[in-house]
Amino acid sequence: MDIAFSRSQFPAIQRNDGSFAFMDNAGGSAVLQSVAERVSDYLLNTNVQLGASYPTSQVSTKLVREGAVAGARFVNASSPDEIVLGSSTTQLFENLARSMEEHMVEGDEIIISETDHEANCGSWARMCKRRNLVLKVWKCEGADQALVLESLEAMLTPKTRLVCVTHCSNIVGTVNNVKEIAKLVHSIPGAEICVDGVAYASHKIVDVQDLDVDYYCFSWYKVYGPHIAQLYTAKRTFPRLGSINHYFLSPDMRPYIMQPGNLNYELSASLPAIVAYIGDLGRAPADRLGVEGQKKVRGDAGATREELERGFQAMAAQEHKLVDKFLSYLASKPAVYTTIGQKVASEARAATISFTVANFKSEDFITKLDGYGIGARFGHFYAHRLVCGSLGLSDDGVVRVSMVHYNTVEEVEKLIAAMDEILGA
């Protein structure tokens, strides 16, 4: 991957180049310059209500619609009508629960994963209380804190209505085999699968049709964009999703009936720039759009699926180098560091790496790293059921280093040197 080109697209990365290593990407990535400029352009030039007959409104409507087209292209949805945009993944899951609640009956069963962020747990737990449903927890197992398919199979019954699982844990970093999980879930008539893709979508390509999932959600602010999130609802689920918007809206007004208060116009209009940027990572230098091209993309999602695939392949190759180097370092000091999840780099391991440090509170270790110009973080990261459950830790949690494709080997080396110095090695 052309790392210099990638970093040149992010003003915050450029500004701190060499002086600060940003390794808290799982909490929110850097934002593309082209994204910020599209937001600014929309607010300054087309910030009017949608759907009117006058020219500025027509342009505004088109720009916002292109955001939904970009969202559909990004996950390979069959239609933008399957894309619901909202403020956050947590809010969209809550909206989804409210939407499907009327079709749940007492005794129906919902399964959540112990490794999930609370966004994909809390909404379902609350719905179970409201509707007197049965809540089951799919526990992780073994030294790698893995979700074992056979354990899920043993939990499924004819009353199973929904299985909620993360595509990639924001603590463990393991990429779960969602396609196989979906196949197993769909072997139960009427059962659906809801996937949290927040910790996955910035690293690897998403294909909801190939995965055969019913619901898939992630936050764009962790995928190089603004604070907006996206929920995919497969067309086959529409009859089971009631309106949470105004009573007079027709049931076929999708995704509007799932967007109370509507979507955020300016943030939606910025999404094609993200898709265009990832496409650029898969293009030859002479064919790249660059900041201006990403900003001006019109009438298209910004990249073909093939370009997105090549872009994500380049990203994955870069991240593999980073993960391999850092995990190898942690493994070289087993008496000091306890790595959470898989201990070696692989296709099933994202660049989100959590660990504990012997004789250090996680907070204290991170505070020391701050002084070395490294931005990482500590805590349970809203995966409270895992960190304070199976892992048996307090709210002090783990140290988490979360990298993406624009991080460099040199930054990992800086991190390692800082950690050695903190340890007095």
Side-chain angles (χ1 to χ4, degrees):
M1 195 190 76
D2 187 343
I3 189 74
F5 169 77
S6 173
R7 292 171 74 86
S8 74
Q9 306 299 289
F10 296 89
I13 298 296
Q14 284 185 293
R15 182 172 62 250
N16 295 309
D17 200 13
S19 63
F20 179 75
F22 181 61
M23 295 185 170
D24 187 26
N25 292 281
S29 65
V31 178
L32 287 157
Q33 180 178 336
S34 55
V35 165
E37 291 187 3
R38 281 184 73 102
V39 171
S40 176
D41 284 350
Y42 183 90
L43 289 172
L44 295 175
N45 298 307
T46 57
N47 189 33
V48 298
Q49 270 291 4
L50 309 184
S53 57
Y54 57 88
T56 304
S57 178
Q58 293 295 300
V59 173
S60 178
T61 301
K62 184 173 183 291
L63 291 173
V64 173
R65 178 64 173 176
E66 285 169 0
V69 171
R73 178 70 59 81
F74 188 79
V75 299
N76 199 31
S78 63
S79 166
D81 292 345
E82 297 176 310
I83 301 302
V84 180
L85 294 171
S87 61
S88 68
T89 293
T90 300
Q91 184 64 65
L92 286 175
F93 277 143
E94 182 67 25
N95 290 354
L96 179 62
R98 296 285 179 173
S99 175
M100 64 170 57
E101 185 170 331
E102 64 184 89
H103 295 285
M104 295 291 182
V105 298
E106 184 174 342
D108 281 349
E109 297 173 355
I110 294 179
I111 299 173
I112 60 175
S113 152
E114 186 182 35
T115 64
D116 269 65
H117 185 289
E118 189 62 17
N120 203 20
C121 298
S123 296
W124 313 117
R126 289 188 291 272
M127 183 170 72
C128 285
K129 285 185 178 180
R130 291 193 301 269
R131 301 291 291 181
N132 200 21
L133 313 179
V134 177
L135 183 69
K136 297 180 177 181
V137 181
W138 182 11
K139 299 277 191 177
C140 59
E141 302 175 35
D144 289 348
Q145 293 80 40
L147 292 175
V148 179
L149 202 61
E150 289 75 15
S151 297
L152 173 62
E153 186 173 16
M155 299 174 71
L156 297 172
T157 78
K159 291 187 175 182
T160 301
R161 291 295 169 263
L162 188 67
V163 174
C164 307
V165 66
T166 182
H167 203 161
C168 176
S169 166
N170 73 329
I171 295 287
V172 179
T174 299
V175 176
N176 293 310
N177 191 337
V178 168
K179 188 171 183 177
E180 286 301 310
I181 296 171
K183 182 178 179 181
L184 178 60
V185 171
H186 289 150
S187 70
I188 304 297
E192 297 179 325
I193 179 171
C194 177
V195 180
D196 179 348
V198 171
Y200 180 91
S202 61
H203 303 287
K204 300 175 185 291
I205 197 164
V206 179
D207 189 335
V208 291
Q209 294 189 67
D210 181 63
L211 294 172
D212 195 27
V213 295
D214 300 289
Y215 311 103
Y216 193 102
C217 197
F218 71 94
S219 296
W220 282 105
Y221 76 94
K222 299 184 180 184
V223 193
Y224 324 115
H227 209 291
I228 188 172
Q230 169 175 319
L231 169 68
Y232 161 79
T233 58
K235 280 186 177 179
R236 62 177 177 264
T237 71
F238 287 1
R240 298 187 289 278
L241 298 179
S243 175
I244 56 172
N245 210 327
H246 304 306
Y247 76 92
F248 51 80
L249 297 177
S250 169
D252 62 359
M253 293 182 68
R254 297 191 184 267
Y256 191 37
I257 62 170
M258 294 285 290
Q259 293 173 166
N262 214 334
L263 39 67
N264 180 293
Y265 296 166
E266 63 270 20
L267 303 188
S268 303
S270 76
L271 300 183
I274 305 171
V275 179
Y277 163 73
I278 297 173
D280 267 355
L281 297 181
R283 298 180 182 118
D287 298 327
R288 289 178 188 146
L289 301 178
V291 171
E292 285 303 309
Q294 294 159 19
K295 184 179 74 173
K296 294 176 181 176
V297 168
R298 293 287 185 270
D300 181 73
T304 65
R305 282 293 294 182
E306 292 75 15
E307 288 171 331
L308 284 174
E309 288 171 1
R310 291 196 296 271
F312 273 107
Q313 287 167 2
M315 294 160 68
Q318 172 68 10
E319 291 182 12
H320 183 87
K321 291 188 292 185
L322 308 177
V323 172
D324 184 55
K325 189 172 188 67
F326 190 56
L327 284 179
S328 296
Y329 165 74
L330 295 177
S332 72
K333 298 180 182 294
V336 179
Y337 301 116
T338 300
T339 304
I340 311 301
Q342 297 179 17
K343 311 302 188 286
V344 297
S346 74
E347 287 291 317
R349 183 59 152 108
T352 300
I353 301 171
S354 301
F355 56 95
T356 57
V357 187
N359 303 317
F360 272 94
K361 288 181 61 179
S362 295
E363 180 178 10
D364 293 342
F365 196 78
I366 284 295
T367 300
K368 288 185 178 294
L369 275 180
D370 288 342
Y372 290 86
I374 294 166
R377 202 165 181 176
F378 77 96
H380 57 69
F381 302 100
Y382 294 86
H384 195 272
R385 297 169 194 264
L386 170 64
V387 173
C388 301
S390 286
L391 295 182
L393 302 174
S394 68
D395 283 354
D396 182 60
V398 298
V399 174
R400 188 178 73 179
V401 172
S402 51
M403 301 171 284
V404 292
H405 65 284
Y406 51 60
N407 286 118
T408 65
V409 171
E410 291 75 20
E411 288 177 327
V412 177
E413 291 172 345
K414 176 177 180 174
L415 170 64
I416 290 171
M419 291 170 65
D420 275 344
E421 195 166 319
I422 291 170
L423 294 173

